[in-house]
Amino acid sequence: MQNQYRVFSASHIGQRNENQDAFAVLTHSECGELLCVVADGMGGHKGGAFAAKKVVETCKVKWDESESVIDPDTFLNELAFCAHEAVIDSGNAEFDQAQSLVSVLYIHLEKSIYVSMHVGDCRTIQFANKNFIKRTIDQSLAQLHALKGDISDDEIASHPDQNKIYSSIGGSEPPSPIIEHYSPDGDTFLICSDGFWELFNQHALGVAIEKIESAEALEELIEQQVSGKTHHDNTTAIIVKLPPSEDSSSMFVPPSLAAGHQESEVEGSLRTEGALPAESSLSAESSKPAEGALSAEGSKPAEGALSAEGSTSSNDKNTSTKLTTYHYKFLLGLGSIIFVIALTYYFLSSTDSTHDLPEPLPTSGKTSPSKQSSEQPSGQAPDQKPEQTSEQNKTTPSEPQGKSSKEAIGTQASTGESGNIETRRQTPNIPILNIDDAIEKTEDVIRQKGGLGENDTLKVTTRGNVIGNSQVIKFQQFYKDLPVYGAQTITLVRDGKIANIDSKTLNDIDIDISPTLSAKEAVILAEDEIGTRLNVLEAPQLIIFKKEDSYLLIWRAEVEKASGERVMLFLDSTNALIVEEISLHISGGQEEISFEDIASEDEASENEKD
């Protein structure tokens, strides 16, 4: 009974020059295990298709290395970090900026274990009788707006910040994978890239997925939805329909987190016999997809290639579900939301006690309105039936007009001239005694390579958790005890060695660190320049800022304008000119800092120097 599930998959190039999505459906028939992978190459980064393919390939390799998954959480975390290492260690200079997003769902049918891992905005979504139960939380700025209540979930797709991602595979920093557990009460899972979930609002998505009973039907659904668009992204989806439980009924039982299970580590070969599906993989570079796979252009698979014999999922309707789903969704997602908000404030807030400086967010000229229109775009597919058009007008979110390619933001994202700090990648493989030894040897390596001047030091800002046999250490460069903006180093420790060092450091800084203007004076002069009152949210910090080939002493101040817009200002400490202004798209929740407080900070800073 446990093997009687069905899997359908499809991918579409959208209105793009190439399909940068990749996917795979991997099985262990002897263990009743299933692994579904959807990877979305970062469209704005050279080599997006390459990165997505690497992610899928890594998942296949790890899946084949063990017989079964003992600890799904650990296994899925290792998938993320192994994929990250595979992308950055590829050694292909042509794809030195290759990045990917991913969502992976692990299923153990016999034990009713369902666990997902995701990085970025690829999603895993669970349904029961077409009703939404739970989904992963995107690692994007648009998702944060929804968490704050500024926009609805259905408005995420059309929000201008939807393309701003703060965690990715293959970026300058290691990914921040999020693990989710799912209740066995659902009957359908969807694993997809943002190109798919953006086509529907939440209710319409559940209705549409319930009707899919073949790979061809899924392909037709995508084609129908994409054909009326003009700028739509690559679109990939895997649908897993589970067998009905023995005690299934029309009454939907509210989900609970499936935690604390003991599972087995992943391995095995792809199966084509019996009730388990064949491998379904897609890569933009694959000239001959595996049987049952879709090409980048969305050609149809062999009939039934991904559909196993078995029972159909229950179609019983539960009218009471609509009244309770959102309450349980909130409770079940609370832990994930807290984690995401904490992670994001780590990236977006001003410097903490360790002076860990995030880089500026991209300033692409886009605004962040509190609400976005969710009207249906005027263009419709030529062959669309009138009743379909009417339904879409009610249920489909608006198409992002001219939506930009994804941008990686956060601690390594950069705009302006701070992006002039070059990243140097080294793979020294130096044996270490412990993590403290790794910290000391990291600075020695960078200094020996000429990456630091005599007045420069590295200070640890983050010691990452041990994941498998790997741990990440993050450093900030300081010049005469002042942090250097954007000058950060990431060290990967693996198997008792320093395996990788990504350093963004400067060795030619020579600047007077005594500011001409105090923070208070700089902010007052900035108010005159902008022509609006500035509420200082965090005590301004003195930093070193690289501007073209020069170094400036800058007051970095997080402020709120009279309009309510929250921005980060970089004020030249000699004349208070605004060197850079970055919109944070976050408002409220912090008290205004008075000028008396700023003066106190200035005095404390002067006393420290004395």
Side-chain angles (χ1 to χ4, degrees):
M1 174 65 72
Q2 70 266 20
N3 290 340
Q4 295 178 347
Y5 66 89
R6 292 157 296 142
V7 179
F8 314 114
S9 58
S11 188
H12 193 287
I13 193 172
Q15 283 81 37
R16 302 297 194 197
N17 294 327
E18 66 172 334
N19 195 337
Q20 295 191 343
D21 287 357
F23 70 90
V25 178
L26 311 174
T27 65
H28 285 159
S29 59
E30 64 276 16
C31 303
E33 293 175 306
L34 175 68
L35 192 75
C36 298
V37 184
V38 171
D40 178 2
M42 294 280 275
H45 295 270
K46 191 173 184 180
F50 168 81
K53 181 179 178 182
K54 273 289 182 184
V55 170
V56 172
E57 288 176 351
T58 300
C59 291
K60 291 179 181 177
V61 170
K62 297 296 291 183
W63 184 254
D64 290 336
E65 285 180 351
S66 303
E67 293 183 355
S68 62
V69 176
I70 297 174
D71 183 349
D73 290 36
T74 298
F75 174 75
L76 293 174
N77 262 311
E78 288 182 350
L79 280 187
F81 286 98
C82 288
H84 176 73
E85 292 167 16
V87 173
I88 65 176
D89 293 342
S90 63
N92 193 329
E94 183 182 0
F95 302 136
D96 60 349
Q97 296 184 33
Q99 297 182 47
S100 179
L101 314 175
V102 68
S103 191
V104 181
L105 175 67
Y106 167 78
I107 295 177
H108 195 303
L109 291 164
E110 185 176 354
K111 296 181 180 180
S112 297
I113 295 172
Y114 313 97
V115 186
S116 74
M117 177 276 293
H118 77 285
V119 176
D121 63 354
C122 290
R123 290 182 179 178
T124 292
I125 310 174
Q126 185 185 32
F127 298 92
N129 300 329
K130 80 181 178 183
N131 295 297
F132 170 87
I133 298 180
K134 182 179 180 179
R135 73 165 173 84
T136 51
I137 303 298
D138 306 335
Q139 293 176 314
S140 71
L141 287 192
Q143 175 70 80
L144 296 178
H145 297 317
L147 292 174
K148 289 169 67 258
D150 292 340
I151 62 174
S152 68
D153 273 1
D154 289 336
E155 290 174 310
I156 292 176
S158 58
H159 196 279
D161 282 346
Q162 167 53 20
N163 65 319
K164 295 182 174 64
I165 307 297
Y166 58 81
S167 185
S168 65
I169 302 289
S172 298
E173 289 191 355
S176 300
I178 297 178
I179 302 295
E180 294 283 0
H181 291 256
Y182 300 84
S183 163
D185 299 311
D187 56 24
T188 302
F189 281 97
L190 168 67
I191 310 93
C192 63
S193 62
D194 65 325
F196 186 82
W197 60 258
E198 286 179 352
L199 292 169
F200 308 88
N201 68 31
Q202 190 164 277
H203 172 72
L205 184 57
V207 172
I209 295 304
E210 185 187 35
K211 297 177 182 178
I212 299 300
E213 293 296 336
S214 69
E216 291 84 354
L218 177 57
E219 183 185 64
E220 290 172 3
L221 173 66
I222 295 175
E223 178 64 36
Q224 179 187 85
Q225 295 293 317
V226 170
S227 61
K229 309 293 183 181
T230 56
H231 302 92
H232 200 68
D233 199 1
N234 307 146
T235 303
T236 300
I238 300 173
I239 298 174
V240 181
K241 294 202 171 184
L242 303 175
S245 60
E246 295 180 0
D247 59 348
S248 61
S249 66
S250 61
M251 178 60 66
F252 168 66
V253 180
S256 59
L257 290 178
H261 292 286
Q262 298 295 322
E263 295 90 57
S264 43
E265 184 164 317
V266 166
E267 161 196 90
S269 57
L270 304 176
R271 303 291 179 180
T272 57
E273 70 273 15
L276 286 168
E279 174 193 4
S280 171
S281 63
L282 175 143
S283 171
E285 297 180 2
S286 299
S287 57
K288 293 182 179 181
E291 181 181 359
L294 293 169
S295 68
E297 286 74 25
S299 58
K300 295 181 179 179
E303 182 176 357
L306 284 175
S307 179
E309 294 180 2
S311 59
T312 60
S313 59
S314 175
N315 292 321
D316 295 330
K317 298 183 179 179
N318 178 17
T319 56
S320 65
T321 301
K322 296 181 181 179
L323 300 177
T324 61
T325 297
Y326 290 99
H327 297 84
Y328 287 108
K329 176 187 72 172
F330 172 78
L331 293 174
L332 293 173
L334 184 58
S336 299
I337 292 173
I338 293 173
F339 174 83
V340 171
I341 293 175
L343 176 65
T344 304
Y345 268 90
Y346 167 81
F347 283 141
L348 301 183
S349 66
S350 60
T351 305
D352 60 15
S353 59
T354 61
H355 303 286
D356 180 18
L357 290 176
E359 299 258 10
L361 305 180
T363 51
S364 59
K366 295 179 180 178
T367 59
S368 178
S370 59
K371 295 287 181 181
Q372 294 291 323
S373 171
S374 33
E375 296 178 0
Q376 171 73 9
S378 58
Q380 299 293 342
D383 59 346
Q384 198 169 29
K385 296 179 181 180
E387 58 270 22
Q388 292 172 330
T389 303
S390 175
E391 179 68 14
Q392 285 185 7
N393 285 337
K394 297 178 182 178
T395 61
T396 307
S398 62
E399 175 190 6
Q401 297 299 317
K403 178 183 174 181
S404 302
S405 297
K406 290 187 175 68
E407 302 173 15
I409 65 169
T411 57
Q412 289 297 319
S414 177
T415 60
E417 303 304 329
S418 59
N420 287 342
I421 306 178
E422 179 184 0
T423 299
R424 292 179 297 277
R425 181 162 292 158
Q426 303 174 54
T427 54
N429 286 322
I430 300 174
I432 58 170
L433 300 175
N434 48 45
I435 202 68
D436 291 327
D437 190 31
I439 292 170
E440 182 178 341
K441 288 180 177 178
T442 294
E443 181 166 340
D444 290 342
V445 169
I446 295 176
R447 199 174 292 281
Q448 290 171 8
K449 296 291 185 179
L452 292 171
E454 62 179 20
N455 293 313
D456 301 312
T457 58
L458 290 183
K459 295 184 180 181
V460 176
T461 58
T462 303
R463 295 192 190 197
N465 295 326
V466 177
I467 304 296
N469 57 357
S470 301
Q471 185 172 4
V472 171
I473 313 169
K474 183 175 176 181
F475 303 82
Q476 172 71 50
Q477 180 182 352
F478 282 74
Y479 172 78
K480 295 182 178 180
D481 291 330
L482 287 184
V484 181
Y485 188 73
Q488 297 175 338
T489 294
I490 305 292
T491 293
L492 173 64
V493 175
R494 183 174 56 207
D495 294 329
K497 296 181 180 179
I498 296 178
N500 190 83
I501 299 177
D502 283 351
S503 58
K504 295 180 69 174
T505 57
L506 301 162
N507 62 3
D508 59 346
I509 305 174
D510 184 10
I511 186 174
D512 182 1
I513 61 171
S514 300
T516 303
L517 298 173
S518 67
K520 175 180 178 180
E521 292 169 334
V523 171
I524 292 175
L525 291 174
E527 286 182 327
D528 293 337
E529 181 182 348
I530 298 176
T532 184
R533 173 92 162 83
L534 297 177
N535 296 331
V536 181
L537 302 175
E538 299 272 349
Q541 183 189 22
L542 203 57
I543 65 172
I544 308 296
F545 189 96
K546 185 178 182 184
K547 180 72 172 178
E548 297 178 348
D549 294 328
S550 301
Y551 294 103
L552 304 175
L553 193 61
I554 295 291
W555 283 113
R556 178 180 182 268
E558 186 175 331
V559 303
E560 186 176 56
K561 297 181 180 180
S563 62
E565 181 186 11
R566 182 170 163 181
V567 299
M568 188 71 71
L569 295 181
F570 295 78
L571 308 176
D572 192 321
S573 66
T574 62
N575 52 27
L577 292 178
I578 299 175
V579 176
E580 190 160 357
E581 176 180 337
I582 302 165
S583 177
L584 298 180
H585 301 305
I586 300 174
S587 61
Q590 295 200 25
E591 296 180 357
E592 177 183 349
I593 304 296
S594 68
F595 281 127
E596 287 72 18
D597 294 330
I598 297 176
S600 298
E601 291 287 338
D602 292 340
E603 291 173 5
S605 178
E606 290 298 327
N607 291 334
E608 287 179 5
K609 292 176 186 177
D610 294 340

